[in-house]
Amino acid sequence: MQTSFTLAQLADPNIAEADRILRTCVHCGFCTATCPTYVLLGDELDSPRGRIYLIKDMLEHDRPATAEVVKHIDRCLSCLACMTTCPSGVHYMHLVDHARAHIENTYARPRVDRLLRALLARVLPNNDLLRRALAAARLGKPFAGLFAALGLKPVAAMLRLAPARLPAKFAGSVRRLFPPCAPRRGRVALLTGCVSPVIAPAINAAAIRVLTRHGIEVVVADEGCCGSLVHHMGRAPEALSAARRQIDAWTAEIEGEGLDAILVTASGCGTTVKDYGYLLRTDETYAAKALRVSRLAKDISEYLSGLELSSERDPAGLVVAYHSACSLQHGQKIARAPKELLCKIGFVVKDVPEGHLCCGSAGTYNMLQPELARRLRERKVGNIEKLKPDVIAAGNIGCMTQIAAGTVIPVVHTAELIDWATGGPEPEALAGKRGSNAAAASVALAK
């Protein structure tokens, strides 16, 4: 693709990178086949190729974003399926992230939209505020339909996604070090994150049990949110500030007792942490430290695949529908490791049809774009239910919450199943909710 940025514009490293990405695109259109919004809407402007043209025009002319541009960029899930499909290697993720920052800086959103985004950016990354908000949301759940009728569909979506009850707080919020239960083989930091400790603390607890059971010392040194949520909302200063806090905390551990890896159980967060080196490449103080952190970052399944796991239970044919989170399969290019881990310890793993298509979660997308998110969830759940699984496994809390809202099939994190099979407790979501295959497995596991 030809571009016409001026030399003055190209002096900005972000514009220079956008120019490089744009020039990589050859207009082939392969991306349209795997783009969820194009598959649903059939609108070229709701495809990666169409959005690339919109972004190019906006950046080249250095003008404020228009309502039309914002509509189509906001509809992008950042699922990155286009990057997996693209034969030319167009780095769409960095391009659309830059466009979102430009929108945030130049476009005046309608007041309600602006308030909702500010609320999400303030509440979601803060454990205490999120817990209070979800407690209040339980009271508002019966009024979700009313909010939708009043045109406040994002508010209705927030209420519907809120869990019916909140589990106990994650032990990692108090304890910072988890020693190995076997001879020490390694030392890792675990990113506890912002949403998981509040709505699904069992995920991090399961990850810690698996790791310590196999001789890995776990330190919880992070500072809450990694910046992913606000980053994908175009709020670059907040995202970079969160990244710097994390880097400082992890650097202290790296330079102290050392770390073999920085593990992440939410693949959406993992994709961002692995990109810290790029995000802070122009920061003289943090560039080298950010790159070191990025190189140490691993998804929990990626790290566990390098350990010799000791299976203590035979899942006895428990059928698992594995949902490959977009941020894991497209963002981090990790597709086989989670499935191989589950198969190796005895689960029957089935691939979900149209597994490349997003479930509609995408961070805050299922709240800010509830109609498109609902349609994508229905499509995903329909494909999953065809498999008649006993349980659905996923590696991202956002996907788990989204899918669970559309099916009665239990949804658990991959790490929870691995923990269970290697000696940990049964995932709470499975208790009393399994089908015939799982019932047989339950008898075998109890022996």
Side-chain angles (χ1 to χ4, degrees):
M1 178 181 288
Q2 290 185 336
T3 58
S4 57
F5 291 102
T6 66
L7 290 176
Q9 287 176 304
L10 293 172
D12 180 339
N14 290 316
I15 292 295
E17 178 65 11
D19 178 63
R20 188 193 66 77
I21 296 169
L22 289 166
R23 286 177 174 270
T24 307
C25 180
V26 296
H27 321 274
C28 68
F30 282 17
C31 57
T32 60
T34 56
C35 174
T37 49
Y38 183 78
V39 169
L40 287 184
L41 303 173
D43 186 337
E44 175 73 12
L45 293 180
D46 285 313
S47 74
R49 183 170 61 181
R51 293 184 179 110
I52 284 172
Y53 276 108
L54 292 175
I55 294 168
K56 173 181 179 294
D57 181 65
M58 176 175 66
L59 296 182
E60 274 186 341
H61 293 90
D62 193 22
R63 60 188 174 209
T66 64
E68 181 71 5
V69 170
V70 172
K71 178 178 74 172
H72 296 294
I73 299 301
D74 281 355
R75 284 179 178 173
C76 174
L77 295 116
S78 283
C79 70
L80 310 180
C82 55
M83 287 178 59
T84 296
T85 310
C86 180
S88 302
V90 176
H91 207 303
Y92 177 81
M93 180 176 80
H94 289 160
L95 183 66
V96 77
D97 285 344
H98 179 61
R100 288 192 168 116
H102 184 83
I103 288 170
E104 184 69 15
N105 292 332
T106 64
Y107 181 70
R109 293 181 179 274
R111 180 175 295 179
V112 172
D113 188 23
R114 190 163 66 249
L115 289 174
L116 285 172
R117 286 171 173 270
L119 178 68
L120 291 172
R122 179 75 178 93
V123 172
L124 289 178
N126 186 300
N127 283 179
D128 291 334
L129 288 180
L130 179 58
R131 185 172 287 276
R132 293 174 193 170
L134 291 176
R138 292 202 303 274
L139 300 176
K141 263 183 174 295
F143 304 102
L146 176 60
F147 281 107
L150 293 173
L152 297 173
K153 291 183 179 180
V155 176
M158 294 177 198
L159 293 174
R160 287 169 176 152
L161 287 167
R165 67 180 182 83
L166 290 180
K169 287 186 177 181
F170 170 55
S173 61
V174 179
R175 292 180 60 187
R176 308 300 287 178
L177 183 67
F178 297 82
C181 302
R184 177 169 153 173
R185 300 165 58 189
R187 188 174 193 268
V188 302
L190 180 72
L191 172 64
T192 56
C194 48
V195 175
S196 288
V198 176
I199 67 174
I203 296 172
N204 286 328
I208 289 171
R209 284 194 298 267
V210 171
L211 291 164
T212 55
R213 187 179 300 129
H214 292 87
I216 307 301
E217 182 175 270
V218 181
V219 60
V220 175
D222 63 272
E223 295 294 326
C225 185
C226 66
S228 181
L229 284 168
V230 288
H231 175 60
H232 293 302
M233 295 172 74
R235 303 169 80 99
E238 294 170 48
L240 294 179
S241 178
R244 292 186 184 101
R245 287 196 299 272
Q246 299 289 16
I247 291 166
D248 284 340
W250 286 326
T251 297
E253 291 295 333
I254 294 167
E255 296 177 350
E257 294 190 44
L259 292 175
D260 301 311
I262 297 168
L263 305 187
V264 189
T265 58
S267 60
C269 300
T271 302
T272 297
V273 175
K274 287 184 175 184
D275 205 38
Y276 277 179
Y278 171 82
L279 295 176
L280 289 160
R281 68 197 186 285
T282 60
D283 187 321
E284 292 183 3
T285 303
Y286 281 87
K289 293 188 289 185
L291 186 60
R292 180 165 54 174
V293 164
S294 292
R295 288 173 174 171
L296 282 174
K298 290 182 180 292
D299 182 74
I300 183 67
S301 65
E302 187 181 9
Y303 186 79
L304 291 178
S305 65
L307 299 180
E308 191 65 37
L309 299 181
S310 55
S311 181
E312 295 188 14
R313 295 186 176 118
D314 180 7
L318 192 80
V319 178
V320 179
Y322 175 70
H323 164 71
S324 188
C326 296
S327 47
L328 197 56
Q329 64 168 315
H330 303 308
Q332 300 183 47
K333 307 303 181 189
I334 299 173
R336 296 181 60 182
K339 293 184 289 186
E340 289 176 348
L341 279 170
L342 292 171
C343 288
K344 187 176 181 180
I345 56 181
F347 293 101
V348 177
V349 182
K350 293 188 176 182
D351 285 321
V352 177
E354 293 188 327
H356 62 284
L357 287 181
C358 187
C359 67
S361 172
T364 59
Y365 191 92
N366 54 1
M367 291 172 275
L368 296 174
Q369 298 285 333
E371 279 303 308
L372 289 174
R374 177 189 59 78
R375 292 172 63 183
L376 288 169
R377 179 177 62 212
E378 289 174 354
R379 187 167 183 145
K380 179 66 67 176
V381 168
N383 280 319
I384 289 173
E385 291 181 343
K386 291 175 185 176
L387 303 175
K388 301 187 184 308
D390 297 305
V391 61
I392 302 164
N396 189 52
I397 182 61
C399 301
M400 292 169 62
T401 304
Q402 171 76 348
I403 293 170
T407 183
V408 296
I409 301 171
V411 185
V412 301
H413 195 281
T414 310
E416 292 182 89
L417 291 180
I418 296 171
D419 174 46
W420 181 32
T422 58
E426 178 184 42
E428 184 180 351
L430 281 178
K433 297 181 181 179
R434 290 167 284 160
S436 55
N437 289 335
S442 181
V443 173
L445 285 167
K447 293 179 179 178

